[in-house]
Each structure stands twice: as structure tokens, then as C-alpha cells.
Amino acid sequence: MSKKRVIVIGGGAAGMMAAGRAAESGADVLLLEKTGSRGAKLLLAGEGRCNLTNTRELADFIEAYGPNGRFLYRAFDLFFREELLEFLGRFGVGTVNEIDGRIFPASNSSADVLKAFEAYMLENRVRLETGKEVDAIIVSEGRVTGVSAGGAEYPAESVVIATGGASYPATGSTGAGYRLAGAAGHRIVRIRPALVPLAVCDVEAVKNMQGVSLSGVRLTAFACNALEIPCGGVLRDAGRGIPGKSPKPPVVESRIGDVIFTHFGLSGPGVLKISLAVADALENGPVSIAIDLRPRLTWEEMRVEIQKRFDRFSKRNYRNILLELLPPKLVDPFQRMTGVPAEKVGSQINAEERERLVKLIKCLSFVVKGPFSLASAMVTAGGVALPEIDPATMQSKLVKGLYFAGEVMDIDGETGGFNLQAAFSTGRLAGESAAAED
Ligand SMILES: Cc1cc2nc3c(=O)[nH]c(=O)nc-3n(C[C@H](O)[C@H](O)[C@H](O)COP(=O)(O)OP(=O)(O)OC[C@H]3O[C@@H](n4cnc5c(N)ncnc54)[C@H](O)[C@@H]3O)c2cc1C
């Protein structure tokens, strides 16, 4: 009996896994990749170190994808972290666990992960054609019969769309999969940037702080203008990936993280994490971000702390007192924003002036202009609508023989290895299902 023909479109993390697994499961597999090489985005991942997955327990892991995470249970049943690490180990890639449960290759090299996938595909005789951009899925009587690329037709009984999202287009992920799936009748959930820096309206303010990096601060997005932020209360973690903690309006999301001030706004891991919630909230009105520089202190404790400093340094001038409290690059902007003269000595600074400083430290706020472009986002949110895909097989519910894997679907996760794990797991399931008899 002749082998089932499977075509995988896209040679990223999901496509390489799908192709290797389909071939390992007995199919004759052709991988079509539009660029000259495979795994361009995989090589960039984790700044070249490739944050492969995360040590979080399954239920928490699923939370990292927001409400759509439930779709992944079946794929994770088949192939989760342990299976991924075992798979990579088979190709000589050991791993290390780092802060926040992040798992990286022990060699710190994405290239070693790519080599493992190349060896897997070679071992299972996947045929690979690079420089082949698929421009249509051929469907006849509700079932896939092949694809067309560059004027040529490639027949197949199963096709896996693993074309990635629409961010970092230089890696080949230009959103082609949305057009292919859309033409086959699939609904595409509006695509938007996730894990992306945020531009603020008051560019001058952040420019003055450019280059400053703060770790362990509380970042809270509020659905209102900066002047309307309800300052003074206790804020707790709330938002996507934080089990059972839905944010209470006007809070959109709140979490502890790191922030970097840039020439246009805010970046850093904490900002990337809240960026999707901010982008979505901006659809309905203004959004502001408040940074609490001392999240471990309540407002009252902060007041006491500041009072103590001014008492202790009663003869020092305000600027020098600020130098004791803040990173050097924040001193001048804070002095200007509080409006307290730099030369005024501690003993002359009154309660109202101290309160202005407390407010800036506990609630340094910026009105958000918008997320940075989709092209610069680490991940694309939105994509092929999940209700039209069978989570047990990754097969389209509309077109027989059509499968999906990776970021092209309406799945996006936090930073921390969640996006690659989703790509590997859905790729594995799609490849195995595409090769199976139907
Ligand atoms: C800078 C950066 C760093 C990241 N770091 C991490 C990290 O450390 N950990 C993590 O979990 N996630 C990380 N991510 C996200 C993660 O890399 C992606 O979610 C993941 O690689 C998606 O895999 P994919 O196979 O679905 O798509 P992609 O890797 O984007 O692959 C899609 C492939 O399809 C090809 N293609 C597209 N259209 C066609 C067509 N019509 N015909 C043929 N081929 C086509 C493309 O050329 C591309 O090779 C990072 C992303 C970026 C941008």
C-alpha cells in the first residue's frame, strides 16, 4: 500500500515537529518553506538561547495562554514538557532550569535545538524544499487534495498549515497562513501584537529616563487617563496567567516585573507581559500604566520611610536626598516632576511636597499611546479560530485533511517558553494525526 502523502507548510518549530512526526508515523512527508532556511524564528528565540518550555505545573501552564489555553490540553496530553525534554535529549540537547521556571538548552544555543530538529527530519526522511511559498490550499468536495506553490501543484492527502504569525516578518512569518486558512473558509480572529513594548503619550518624560531599568516593580494598567488612576490602595497580581485573579475595573492587569524606559515608552519583561491586555483595553478607551517603585511598602509605610529620610538628612538638599532613594537617572526627572527646588534642604520640605514624592514613587504613571507594531511583537495574538479546529487532532472541522500547528492558530502565551511549547506540542499532534489513516 502506498504511503499517505502529507505536506507541511512552514519550517518553524511547529512545522519541523509536525513533519518529523508525520514521517515517523509512516507518511511520505514534504516540508515546504518559503525562505531559504528553516527555523529562523527558533534561532532568535530567547535572544539566541531558546527558552524551550517552563517548569510550571500543567494547570498553571495552561493559564499562561489565557482563556484559549484549554484548547491545548489534548496536545499536552500527547506531548508536554517531559516528552519534549526527552525528545531533545535523544538528539544530545541537555537542558537547564532558570529563574521563573524557564528551561533552556544547557549549551545556551538555539542552533543546537535547530540541529536536533534537522536530525529528526533527516532520520525520518522528510523531504524539504526551501524557497517554496505556498499560495493556495487545493480543496475538492470538502477535502484537501494538495497545495500550489509558485505555479506548481503538489498533491497530498493531508496538509498541515504551520506558517506562524505575522510578527518579525524577516523570519518568513508574514501572516500568509491567515490568508490560506481564510480562503479555505476559516474564520480568523483579529490579529494583534502580543509581548510588545508600549509607546506612551508623554515621550519627553520617558526620554529623560531612557535607559533606566527597574526590577521587581509593580506594573498596573488602568482603563482610564493618568489623572483618574485611583492611587493609594493595595494592588495585587491580577490578569492573564494568574489563576482565579480577574482584575477589578478599572484595573486591566497588574503584576510584578521589570521595566526599561526607552526613547518612546516602556519595555522590559513586565511590560511585554501586560501588553496584550493593554492593547485590547485600548480598543475601548484610554489606558494608563502606573509603576509602583516600592511594591513591598504600603503607601503609609512609604510615607514613614520618606519622613525618616528627610529627618535623617535634614541638612542635605533635596537632590542629594533623592540620590539616596532612586537610580541616578531618575533623580532629575523626579525632582522636576515633584516641583520641589533641588537646593531646598530636608528640614524645609513640607508635608505636601513629601506627599508629591510618595505619589511619584508609588504611582509613576503614563498614558499609553499604543502597543508597538505587530512586526516588532514577539508573538501574534489572534489567528485561526479555535472552535473550527478539533483539539484532539488539530484537524480543521471544515475541510477534511487540513491541519493546523503553532502560532497561526488563535493561541498566544506569556514569555517563559510557553509559545515554543505550544508550537512543539501542536506540531506533534498535527503531524501524528495528519499521517493517520482516516
Ligand atoms: C525575538 C523573538 C524571541 C522569541 N523567544 C521565544 C522564547 O524564548 N521562547 C518561546 O517560547 N517563544 C519565543 N518566541 C515566540 C516563538 O518563537 C514562536 O511563537 C514560535 O517560533 C512559533 O513557531 P511556528 O512554527 O508556529 O512559527 P514560525 O517559527 O514563525 O515558523 C513559520 C514558518 O513558516 C514559513 N512560512 C510562512 N508562510 C509560508 C508559506 N506561504 N509557504 C511556505 N512557508 C511559509 C515561514 O517562513 C517560517 O519559517 C520568540 C519570538 C520572537 C520573535
Coordinates of all heavy atoms in Angstrom, one line a residue, residues 9-15 32-35 41 44-46 50-51 132-134 162-164 168 171-173 176 180 377-379 405-407 417-420 423, ligand 1:
I9 N 3.4 23.0 5.6 CA 3.7 24.3 5.1 C 4.4 25.1 6.2 O 3.7 25.5 7.2 CB 2.5 25.1 4.6 CG1 1.6 24.2 3.7 CG2 2.9 26.4 3.9 CD1 0.2 24.9 3.4
G10 N 5.6 25.4 6.1 CA 6.3 26.2 7.1 C 7.3 25.4 7.9 O 7.0 24.5 8.6
G11 N 8.6 25.9 7.9 CA 9.7 25.1 8.6 C 10.1 25.8 9.8 O 11.3 26.1 10.1
G12 N 9.1 26.2 10.7 CA 9.4 26.7 12.0 C 9.3 25.6 13.0 O 9.3 24.4 12.7
A13 N 9.3 26.0 14.3 CA 9.2 25.0 15.4 C 8.1 24.0 15.2 O 8.2 22.8 15.3 CB 9.1 25.7 16.7
A14 N 6.9 24.5 14.9 CA 5.7 23.7 14.8 C 5.8 22.8 13.5 O 5.5 21.6 13.5 CB 4.4 24.5 14.7
G15 N 6.2 23.4 12.4 CA 6.3 22.7 11.1 C 7.3 21.6 11.1 O 7.1 20.5 10.6
L32 N 7.4 22.3 2.9 CA 7.6 23.5 2.0 C 7.9 24.7 2.8 O 7.0 25.1 3.7 CB 6.4 23.7 1.1 CG 6.1 22.5 0.1 CD1 4.8 22.8 -0.6 CD2 7.2 22.3 -0.9
E33 N 9.0 25.3 2.6 CA 9.4 26.5 3.4 C 9.7 27.7 2.4 O 10.5 27.5 1.5 CB 10.6 26.2 4.3 CG 11.3 27.4 4.9 CD 10.5 28.4 5.7 OE1 9.7 27.9 6.5 OE2 10.6 29.6 5.4
K34 N 9.1 28.8 2.7 CA 9.2 29.9 1.7 C 10.6 30.6 1.7 O 11.1 31.0 0.7 CB 8.1 30.9 1.8 CG 8.3 31.9 2.9 CD 7.1 32.9 2.8 CE 7.3 34.0 3.7 NZ 6.1 34.8 3.9
T35 N 11.3 30.6 2.8 CA 12.6 31.3 2.9 C 13.7 30.3 2.5 O 13.4 29.1 2.2 CB 12.9 31.8 4.3 OG1 13.0 30.7 5.2 CG2 11.8 32.7 4.8
K41 N 13.0 31.9 13.2 CA 12.5 32.4 14.5 C 13.0 31.7 15.7 O 13.3 32.2 16.7 CB 10.9 32.5 14.5 CG 10.4 33.5 15.5 CD 8.9 33.7 15.3 CE 8.6 34.9 14.4 NZ 7.2 35.2 14.3
L44 N 16.2 32.9 16.8 CA 16.1 34.2 17.5 C 15.7 34.0 18.9 O 15.9 34.9 19.8 CB 15.1 35.1 16.8 CG 15.5 35.8 15.5 CD1 14.3 36.7 15.2 CD2 16.7 36.6 15.7
A45 N 14.9 32.9 19.2 CA 14.2 32.8 20.5 C 15.1 32.9 21.7 O 16.3 32.4 21.6 CB 13.5 31.4 20.5
G46 N 14.6 33.6 22.7 CA 15.3 33.7 23.9 C 16.7 34.4 23.7 O 17.7 34.0 24.3
C50 N 17.0 30.4 23.3 CA 15.9 29.5 23.1 C 15.3 29.0 24.5 O 15.6 27.9 25.0 CB 16.3 28.3 22.3 SG 15.0 27.5 21.5
N51 N 14.4 29.8 25.0 CA 13.6 29.4 26.1 C 12.6 28.4 25.7 O 11.5 28.7 25.2 CB 13.0 30.6 26.8 CG 12.2 30.4 28.0 OD1 11.5 31.2 28.5 ND2 12.3 29.2 28.6
K132 N 10.1 27.8 -1.4 CA 8.8 27.5 -1.9 C 7.7 28.1 -1.1 O 7.4 27.6 0.0 CB 8.6 25.9 -1.9 CG 9.4 25.2 -3.0 CD 8.7 25.4 -4.4 CE 9.5 25.0 -5.6 NZ 10.8 24.5 -5.6
E133 N 7.1 29.1 -1.6 CA 6.0 29.8 -0.9 C 4.6 29.2 -1.4 O 4.3 29.4 -2.5 CB 6.0 31.3 -1.1 CG 4.9 32.0 -0.4 CD 5.1 33.5 -0.4 OE1 6.1 34.0 -0.9 OE2 4.3 34.2 0.2
V134 N 3.9 28.6 -0.4 CA 2.6 28.0 -0.8 C 1.6 29.2 -0.9 O 1.5 30.1 -0.1 CB 2.1 27.1 0.3 CG1 0.7 26.6 0.1 CG2 3.1 25.8 0.4
A162 N 1.5 25.4 9.1 CA 2.3 25.8 10.3 C 3.2 27.0 9.9 O 4.4 27.0 10.0 CB 3.2 24.6 10.6
T163 N 2.4 28.0 9.4 CA 3.1 29.2 8.8 C 3.4 30.3 9.9 O 3.9 31.4 9.5 CB 2.2 29.8 7.7 OG1 0.9 29.9 8.3 CG2 2.2 28.9 6.5
G164 N 3.1 30.1 11.1 CA 3.5 31.1 12.2 C 2.5 32.3 12.1 O 1.5 32.3 11.5
Y168 N 7.8 39.8 13.3 CA 9.2 39.6 12.8 C 9.1 39.0 11.4 O 9.6 37.9 11.1 CB 9.9 38.6 13.8 CG 10.6 39.3 14.9 CD1 9.8 39.9 15.9 CD2 11.9 39.4 15.1 CE1 10.3 40.6 17.0 CE2 12.5 40.0 16.2 CZ 11.7 40.6 17.1 OH 12.3 41.3 18.2
T171 N 11.6 36.9 9.4 CA 11.9 35.4 9.6 C 11.0 34.6 8.7 O 11.1 33.4 8.7 CB 11.5 35.0 11.1 OG1 10.1 35.3 11.3 CG2 12.4 35.8 12.1
G172 N 10.1 35.2 7.9 CA 9.3 34.5 7.0 C 7.8 34.5 7.5 O 6.9 34.1 6.7
S173 N 7.6 34.9 8.7 CA 6.2 34.8 9.3 C 5.5 36.1 8.9 O 5.6 37.1 9.6 CB 6.2 34.7 10.8 OG 7.3 33.9 11.2
A176 N 0.9 34.7 6.1 CA 0.3 34.0 4.9 C -0.7 33.0 5.3 O -1.7 32.7 4.6 CB 1.5 33.3 4.1
L180 N -4.3 31.7 3.7 CA -4.6 30.3 3.3 C -5.8 29.7 4.0 O -6.6 29.1 3.4 CB -3.3 29.4 3.5 CG -2.0 29.8 2.8 CD1 -0.9 28.9 3.2 CD2 -2.2 29.7 1.3
A377 N 6.5 42.7 17.5 CA 6.0 41.9 18.6 C 6.6 40.5 18.7 O 7.0 40.0 17.6 CB 4.5 41.7 18.5
M378 N 6.8 39.9 19.8 CA 7.4 38.6 19.9 C 6.3 37.5 19.4 O 6.7 36.5 18.9 CB 7.8 38.2 21.3 CG 9.2 38.7 21.6 SD 9.6 38.6 23.3 CE 9.8 36.8 23.5
V379 N 5.1 37.9 19.6 CA 4.0 36.9 19.2 C 2.8 37.6 18.6 O 2.6 38.8 19.0 CB 3.6 36.1 20.5 CG1 2.5 35.1 20.2 CG2 4.8 35.4 21.2
A405 N -0.9 23.9 13.1 CA 0.0 23.8 14.2 C 0.7 25.1 14.4 O 1.0 25.9 13.5 CB 1.1 22.7 13.8
G406 N 0.9 25.4 15.7 CA 1.7 26.6 16.1 C 1.0 27.9 16.1 O -0.3 28.0 16.3
E407 N 1.7 29.0 15.9 CA 1.3 30.3 16.2 C 0.2 30.8 15.2 O -0.5 31.8 15.5 CB 2.5 31.3 16.1 CG 2.3 32.5 16.9 CD 3.5 33.4 16.9 OE1 4.6 32.9 17.2 OE2 3.4 34.6 16.5
G417 N 8.7 30.5 27.7 CA 8.8 29.2 27.0 C 7.5 28.6 26.6 O 7.4 27.5 26.1
F418 N 6.4 29.4 26.8 CA 5.1 28.9 26.6 C 4.7 28.8 25.1 O 4.0 27.9 24.6 CB 4.0 29.7 27.3 CG 4.3 29.7 28.8 CD1 4.9 30.8 29.4 CD2 3.9 28.6 29.6 CE1 5.2 30.7 30.8 CE2 4.2 28.6 30.9 CZ 4.8 29.6 31.6
N419 N 5.2 29.8 24.3 CA 4.9 29.8 22.9 C 5.6 28.6 22.2 O 5.0 28.0 21.3 CB 5.2 31.1 22.3 CG 4.2 32.2 22.8 OD1 3.0 32.1 22.5 ND2 4.7 33.1 23.6
L420 N 6.8 28.4 22.5 CA 7.5 27.3 21.8 C 6.9 25.9 22.2 O 6.7 25.1 21.4 CB 9.0 27.3 22.1 CG 9.8 28.3 21.3 CD1 11.3 28.3 21.7 CD2 9.7 27.9 19.8
A423 N 4.0 25.4 20.2 CA 4.3 25.1 18.8 C 4.8 23.6 18.7 O 4.3 22.9 17.8 CB 5.4 26.0 18.3
Ligands
LIG1 C1 12.5 37.7 19.0 C2 11.7 36.5 19.5 C3 12.1 35.8 20.5 C4 11.2 34.7 21.0 N1 11.7 34.0 22.0 C5 10.9 32.9 22.5 C6 11.4 32.1 23.5 O1 12.5 32.2 24.0 N2 10.5 31.1 24.0 C7 9.3 30.9 23.4 O2 8.5 30.0 23.9 N3 8.8 31.7 22.4 C8 9.6 32.6 21.9 N4 9.2 33.4 20.8 C9 8.0 33.0 20.1 C10 8.2 31.7 19.3 O3 9.5 31.8 18.7 C11 7.1 31.5 18.3 O4 5.9 31.5 18.9 C12 7.3 30.2 17.6 O5 8.6 30.1 17.0 C13 6.2 29.9 16.5 O6 6.5 28.8 15.8 P1 5.7 28.4 14.5 O7 6.4 27.2 13.9 O8 4.3 28.4 14.7 O9 6.0 29.7 13.5 P2 7.4 30.2 12.9 O10 8.5 29.9 13.7 O11 7.1 31.7 12.7 O12 7.5 29.5 11.5 C14 6.7 29.7 10.4 C15 7.4 29.3 9.2 O13 6.5 29.3 8.1 C16 7.1 29.8 6.9 N5 6.1 30.3 6.0 C17 5.2 31.3 6.2 N6 4.3 31.4 5.2 C18 4.7 30.4 4.3 C19 4.1 30.0 3.0 N7 3.1 30.6 2.5 N8 4.8 28.9 2.4 C20 5.8 28.3 3.0 N9 6.3 28.7 4.2 C21 5.8 29.7 4.8 C22 8.0 30.9 7.5 O14 9.0 31.3 6.6 C23 8.5 30.3 8.8 O15 9.7 29.6 8.6 C24 10.0 34.4 20.3 C25 9.6 35.2 19.2 C26 10.4 36.2 18.8 C27 10.0 37.0 17.6

